[in-house]
Amino acid sequence: MSSPYFSDQERGPRPRVKEEIEIDAWGGILILIQNLVRTDAFAAEFADKCPDRGISGTDRRAMAFAIRAEIPELDWPEDMNYLTYRVDPATKPSTLAILDLVQFCHLKVAKPIQEDYHPFFGHHHLRFDPAEGRQDFRDSIERIFARNELAYELRENGQIVRLAPPVLREALRSATFQTGDPHLDNLLEAARTKYLDPAPLIRRESLEKLWDAWERLKTLQDPSDKKKSIGILLDRVSAEPKFRARLETEARELTEIGNNFMIRHTEVGKTAIADSQQVDYLFQRLFGLIYLLLRSL
């Protein structure tokens, strides 16, 4: 990856907390892809073949059809030269569609390398390095995400994940769930995976998995007596009376939140979770307590 901007060196990296891809970031992503099309970085997958032998360029029409088929929201033009006119707020796709496009391009991109020149048709034959092409693409996307404070990361496997808020980021990145109870481990891993998903609806589902994990955790020490079981865990965390009492209050309040909000139950009268910030707050609050209790195990 190229060196950081001087402002980043002076002030540190920008906080990556934005979830909506706005017009400037979309324009940067669009022009990046447009330039890669022009330099035949997608020709390995969408090949325009020389009449004699080998690949000589990109079949842009085939690429457009593939994008439209996999991302129906994007009305991708067959002639990439028209894309410069699409950097407009009125035609900007949704954030999820843009992220899907980034994943699509990462899967298809490969660095083109010119080989022998074919004088009759006036072109070079091409070979490709997919690994280097994907690395360059990830570096470019990462720079756009970082400079626009976007809370997304394109990983080496081609998946995009949402960056957790800074207070949770390292804990979620490094945590390995080995509680001795496979069902609890699976619930915790499902909660983490869903919470880091870019889609808001899937992110809300992380709360259900996390509260299910909470109910499971409360029974580990004594399955026949949940109150006694959670008491054992709280005792392990702190013997100091005031902190122990605070933890017990927190545990009770979090259980009430799970019962009264539309997290584990969907009956009429349950309070819905309205937006992503509320998901962040609730997830951080319960995950913090669970993480503390798991350390005692």
Side-chain angles (χ1 to χ4, degrees), residues 24-245:
D24 289 339
W26 164 233
I29 293 169
L30 191 60
I31 297 306
L32 168 65
I33 296 170
Q34 182 177 14
N35 288 337
L36 289 172
V37 172
R38 286 173 175 165
T39 56
D40 294 317
F42 297 104
E45 185 74 22
F46 306 104
D48 187 4
K49 294 185 177 181
C50 172
D52 287 347
R53 63 178 180 84
I55 298 174
S56 59
T58 306
D59 186 339
R60 300 181 182 188
R61 189 165 180 260
M63 183 174 177
F65 284 152
I67 291 175
R68 292 175 189 171
E70 296 193 29
I71 315 171
E73 184 179 338
L74 287 177
D75 183 20
W76 199 259
E78 296 175 25
D79 185 347
M80 289 292 294
N81 292 327
Y82 289 111
L83 279 180
T84 52
Y85 298 103
R86 289 166 55 88
V87 185
D88 185 302
T91 58
K92 184 183 76 67
S94 70
T95 292
L96 292 182
I98 295 171
L99 295 176
D100 286 349
L101 177 64
V102 169
Q103 287 185 296
F104 175 94
C105 290
H106 182 270
L107 179 64
K108 309 296 185 183
V109 73
K111 182 178 180 180
I113 301 167
Q114 291 185 346
E115 293 193 308
D116 58 298
Y117 181 71
H118 195 156
F120 183 80
F121 290 105
H123 60 229
H124 286 86
H125 297 133
L126 303 172
R127 63 182 177 88
F128 301 90
D129 185 333
E132 187 171 353
R134 288 171 183 166
Q135 182 64 61
D136 291 345
F137 183 72
R138 286 196 303 274
D139 289 346
S140 298
I141 289 294
E142 173 65 13
R143 180 176 291 272
I144 292 172
F145 284 173
R147 295 293 293 175
N148 288 274
E149 303 177 8
L150 291 167
Y152 300 106
E153 179 180 71
L154 175 60
R155 296 197 168 164
E156 189 174 353
N157 63 3
Q159 294 299 304
I160 289 177
V161 298
R162 189 180 71 101
L163 296 175
V167 68
L168 265 183
R169 193 168 297 165
E170 186 54 37
L172 284 174
R173 185 187 297 271
S174 61
T176 55
F177 304 117
Q178 297 176 338
T179 65
D181 182 80
H183 189 68
L184 177 57
D185 293 343
N186 290 337
L187 287 170
L188 290 168
E189 185 58 38
R192 170 168 57 181
T193 301
K194 287 179 178 292
Y195 181 67
L196 296 176
D197 194 281
L201 288 177
I202 295 179
R203 196 148 66 244
R204 287 178 195 165
E205 293 174 5
S206 70
L207 296 180
E208 178 185 355
K209 296 299 182 183
L210 192 63
W211 254 265
D212 285 345
W214 170 233
E215 294 302 319
R216 179 83 178 183
L217 176 61
K218 288 192 292 184
T219 65
L220 284 189
Q221 303 304 307
D222 187 345
S224 65
D225 189 334
K226 185 183 289 188
K227 185 176 180 180
K228 178 182 177 182
S229 181
I230 187 61
I232 294 172
L233 281 177
L234 295 174
D235 288 340
R236 287 184 179 179
V237 171
S238 178
E240 199 286 317
K242 289 185 178 179
F243 189 69
R244 169 65 172 75

